[in-house]
Amino acid sequence: MAKIIDGKKIAKELNEKTSDEVKKLLVKDNIVPGLVVIIVGDDEASYRYVRNKHRTAQKLGINSIVDSQPATISENELIDLINKYNNDDQINGILVQDPLPSGIDEKKITKAIDPKKDVDGFHPLNVGKLFLDDSTNYPVACTPKGIITMLDYYNIDIKGKNAVVIGRSAIVGKPMGALLLNRGASTTIIHRYTKDIYEYTRNADIVVSATGQVHLLGQDAFKKGAVIIDVGQNRDENGHLVGDVDFEDASNQASYITPVPGGVGPMTIATLMQQTVELTKWSKENGE
Ligand code: GUN
């Protein structure tokens, strides 16, 4: 029977570490890490995510600012606002919640954030460092980074393994592929145009699924002993939160498996908090 990867527990422990780091920064250097989340428009789901981030940050002692802007804000006004925070010494992490209203180019907005304050790790400079496996410190997309933390928590080997990532998004699939590759896995990213996804998943030691398709993957999709990481956050026909993987069924094949909820989900916010503190320390080390 598969071992369940307990994201809630790992996130709780990570948050405790982050809280300790925040306390140390205050006592030793009189620094309080600052995180600003800019939210544009009134998308209900986005507000829910942002509220969660804000609550967690406050609990850990991070100075958390939520800057709500109307959907009518122009691209230039939003860039001016980002620049204000780029130049604010009290702010160490800047996150612009996606999605943005249709008139605003998300890629342009991502590029406007100072790469040293890019707590999402979405800036092309940081993405480039990730793909080059740069030896300096830089932020990485929080969900994939959190998944590596989970694998490491259970001492799951990555080097030399066959890893398959399903989904090629800039937020999860691509950075996940790069992280696994950097850790020495033979990594394949498959996606909606892949002809036969089973051809890949059935040979994989580690599968990370980020498709957004309810219960797409049952036990016949995996080889015996596979490590299954489910990034899916889907609603089934009854409105319940479910992943991409049929958890009960796939558990028969897996050595380790993440549940939904309680798996990858809690790790994303905990990693965002961890990374806010890391950005604060890195800027201090660089005398900024
Ligand atoms: N919207 C949904 N997930 C994310 C995320 O991780 N970062 C940002 N900026 N927006 C999001």
Side-chain angles (χ1 to χ4, degrees):
M1 202 52 196
K3 284 204 185 106
I4 294 173
I5 297 181
D6 188 345
K8 249 170 129 169
K9 178 172 138 206
I10 308 168
K12 186 164 170 279
E13 289 180 21
L14 181 55
N15 280 339
E16 283 163 5
K17 264 193 221 155
T18 301
S19 171
D20 287 346
E21 293 294 320
V22 171
K23 282 183 195 129
K24 270 192 225 155
L25 276 169
L26 185 63
V27 172
K28 281 204 342 220
D29 304 293
N30 201 27
I31 291 173
V32 178
L35 171 68
V36 63
V37 176
I38 300 172
I39 178 163
V40 180
D42 46 21
D43 180 67
E44 208 177 299
S46 290
Y47 262 94
R48 206 167 42 239
Y49 295 139
V50 168
R51 255 199 313 273
N52 276 337
K53 290 171 188 169
H54 182 57
R55 268 198 220 121
T56 308
Q58 281 188 317
K59 221 164 54 190
L60 303 184
I62 292 168
N63 175 28
S64 169
I65 298 169
V66 176
D67 190 332
S68 306
Q69 294 293 328
T72 51
I73 192 171
S74 71
E75 197 172 87
N76 283 336
E77 284 168 333
L78 186 53
I79 290 171
D80 285 347
L81 183 67
I82 290 168
N83 276 328
K84 184 186 91 166
Y85 291 118
N86 282 341
N87 295 318
D88 183 341
D89 292 344
Q90 308 292 311
I91 295 298
N92 305 99
I94 303 170
L95 184 153
V96 180
Q97 186 71 23
D98 295 331
L100 290 169
S102 53
I104 299 179
D105 181 346
E106 279 177 9
K107 288 196 169 128
K108 226 167 159 179
I109 295 304
T110 301
K111 283 186 211 159
I113 297 171
D114 179 343
K116 294 193 184 73
K117 298 190 177 188
D118 170 34
V119 72
D120 262 328
F122 294 168
H123 192 286
L125 187 83
N126 292 320
V127 175
K129 286 182 173 180
L130 171 63
F131 276 78
L132 294 171
D133 197 12
D134 196 87
S135 59
T136 61
N137 294 318
Y138 56 90
V140 175
C142 293
T143 300
K145 179 168 168 162
I147 290 170
I148 296 290
T149 304
M150 295 173 110
L151 296 174
D152 286 344
Y153 188 93
Y154 290 93
N155 293 314
I156 293 167
D157 272 342
I158 301 175
K159 196 191 274 180
K161 300 294 178 188
N162 287 341
V164 167
V165 179
I166 317 176
R168 55 174 180 160
S169 72
I171 295 180
V172 181
K174 285 179 187 145
M176 188 75 246
L179 283 170
L180 290 163
L181 189 60
N182 290 348
R183 291 285 293 266
S186 303
T187 305
T188 310
I189 300 177
I190 60 175
H191 47 76
R192 71 176 72 227
Y193 301 121
T194 300
K195 288 209 177 74
D196 178 3
I197 70 164
Y198 285 9
E199 189 185 321
Y200 298 90
T201 58
R202 282 178 182 150
N203 284 312
D205 302 303
I206 302 169
V207 177
V208 179
S209 181
T211 70
Q213 304 279 319
V214 178
H215 287 173
L216 181 71
L217 302 165
Q219 63 174 325
D220 57 345
F222 304 102
K223 81 171 189 189
K224 194 83 194 156
V227 174
I228 304 173
I229 308 292
D230 190 351
V231 187
Q233 298 271 332
N234 317 306
R235 295 277 162 195
D236 70 7
E237 65 276 10
N238 301 315
H240 296 134
L241 188 65
V242 294
D244 296 350
V245 173
D246 182 339
F247 180 82
E248 299 298 331
D249 199 40
S251 292
N252 294 318
Q253 286 289 79
S255 57
Y256 290 89
I257 187 165
T258 59
V260 177
V264 174
M267 288 304 292
T268 299
I269 291 188
T271 305
L272 182 73
M273 301 303 140
Q274 173 194 29
Q275 201 147 256
T276 302
V277 173
E278 285 172 344
L279 290 175
T280 309
K281 284 180 163 178
W282 298 337
S283 81
K284 181 174 76 75
E285 283 159 17
N286 293 329
E288 285 152 12

